[in-house]
Amino acid sequence: MERPSNRSYALRGNRPTRAQALAMKTHWSNFSLQVESELEINDVFPDAKEVILEIGSGMGEATAQIADHFPETGFVAVEMHNPGLGALLMLVIEKKLKNIKLIREDATHLLNNFIPDNSIDAVHLFFPDPWPKNRQHKRRIVQDAFVELIASKLKPDGYIHIASDWQPYTDWIKARFERNQRFSGGVIKRPDWRPISKFEGQALKKAHTVTDLKYKKLK
Ligand SMILES: C[S@@+](CC[C@H](N)C(=O)[O-])C[C@H]1O[C@@H](n2cnc3c(N)ncnc32)[C@H](O)[C@@H]1O
């Protein structure tokens, strides 16, 4: 079936390893959400202190460690990349995590079509693809419309935490949040609980500066 054109992300390198495929086959139905109608993510973990939507969990190492560290918080990870979803699922099983659910979807599509306004406690967006070339900038997930979308979906006082290792993209993200009147915030100290994923490790080896940003939605 052809995918609707309003998805912002094109699939690439989407073949899981055997272990990832086996994890998907065995455990996907228990740990995933098939979203076909409105989704209140707080209802996914009714006893959780807060529920965080993670956009682009990648291979899931950071997601799994953070979820392990905060057992009273619920995490809904949205990712389109099958190997990444399989890898996260393997970690969920290995660490016996009860506070993660996975969604295979384009986050922008999910937010636009299924998540009610003013319903999300917090969003994590760690190392979004930087699309460094000028002609690729339109592919960056953080655009003015995305910032506005996040503003609509967060609860008042809800926040988005972003990490980026590509300074020009960090500046781009800052500029877009600063000109949106519905947020306040900026650079924060790297929190101790955010582990270094393989992806971030590679960035640090290249001597990239990693910046954490946090923007709170104004009431
Ligand atoms: C550079 S990786 C970072 C992964 C992970 N957050 C980390 O820190 O290692 C960016 C991830 O975002 C995912 N991604 C990009 N656009 C997306 C979208 N619109 N919806 C969901 N995931 C997306 C990609 O598949 C990729 O796994």
Side-chain angles (χ1 to χ4, degrees):
M1 201 176 75
E2 208 169 79
R3 297 181 79 79
S5 58
N6 60 352
R7 286 177 168 85
S8 63
Y9 181 71
L11 295 173
R12 68 190 140 84
N14 217 28
R15 187 180 288 259
T17 63
R18 281 170 76 136
Q20 290 161 355
L22 182 64
M24 295 291 270
K25 199 171 154 200
T26 317
H27 302 291
W28 179 250
S29 57
N30 287 336
F31 291 94
S32 66
L33 301 171
Q34 312 308 317
V35 184
E36 279 153 13
S37 57
E38 190 172 86
L39 174 70
E40 281 276 358
I41 66 165
N42 284 70
D43 292 349
V44 177
F45 300 106
D47 300 328
K49 273 210 303 218
E50 64 171 354
V51 178
I52 295 179
L53 180 74
E54 174 164 21
I55 297 179
S57 41
M59 300 307 279
E61 316 107 287
T63 313
Q65 284 188 55
I66 294 169
D68 204 14
H69 193 83
F70 294 107
E72 290 174 10
T73 300
F75 292 86
V76 174
V78 51
E79 172 60 68
M80 302 198 56
H81 189 236
N82 273 324
L85 289 165
L88 174 53
L89 207 43
M90 287 170 69
L91 292 169
V92 167
I93 301 302
E94 184 193 308
K95 292 177 184 286
K96 300 187 171 56
L97 299 174
K98 305 253 180 294
N99 55 339
I100 298 194
K101 290 280 184 189
L102 285 65
I103 299 178
R104 184 196 289 122
E105 189 48 280
D106 178 322
T108 307
H109 181 80
L110 177 80
L111 287 163
N112 268 316
N113 294 287
F114 298 110
I115 306 288
D117 286 352
N118 301 305
S119 70
I120 304 182
D121 294 318
V123 173
H124 283 174
L125 176 64
F126 295 151
F127 304 98
D129 297 297
W131 298 111
K133 297 186 182 134
N134 278 342
R135 64 182 161 77
Q136 299 172 326
H137 287 177
K138 56 181 182 298
R139 297 196 194 183
R140 288 176 167 173
I141 193 165
V142 179
Q143 305 286 347
D144 288 315
F146 175 83
V147 176
E148 195 52 41
L149 179 63
I150 298 293
S152 312
K153 302 301 168 184
L154 284 174
K155 293 178 183 171
D157 273 345
Y159 67 88
I160 179 166
H161 181 165
I162 305 172
S164 166
D165 71 306
W166 184 246
Q167 192 64 48
Y169 194 20
T170 305
D171 295 341
W172 165 289
I173 293 168
K174 269 189 194 158
R176 273 144 195 83
F177 276 90
E178 278 166 18
R179 70 188 178 217
N180 187 303
Q181 307 283 310
R182 299 172 75 186
F183 284 103
S184 75
V187 176
I188 56 161
K189 196 171 150 279
R190 179 204 181 97
D192 301 339
W193 51 259
R194 193 171 64 66
I196 298 185
S197 67
K198 266 188 218 134
F199 173 81
E200 183 177 1
Q202 285 164 7
L204 291 171
K205 266 194 213 147
K206 291 184 221 156
H208 291 183
T209 306
V210 172
T211 309
D212 283 72
L213 302 157
K214 187 169 176 179
Y215 295 96
K216 190 163 120 176
K217 177 177 165 180
L218 301 171
K219 283 199 179 131

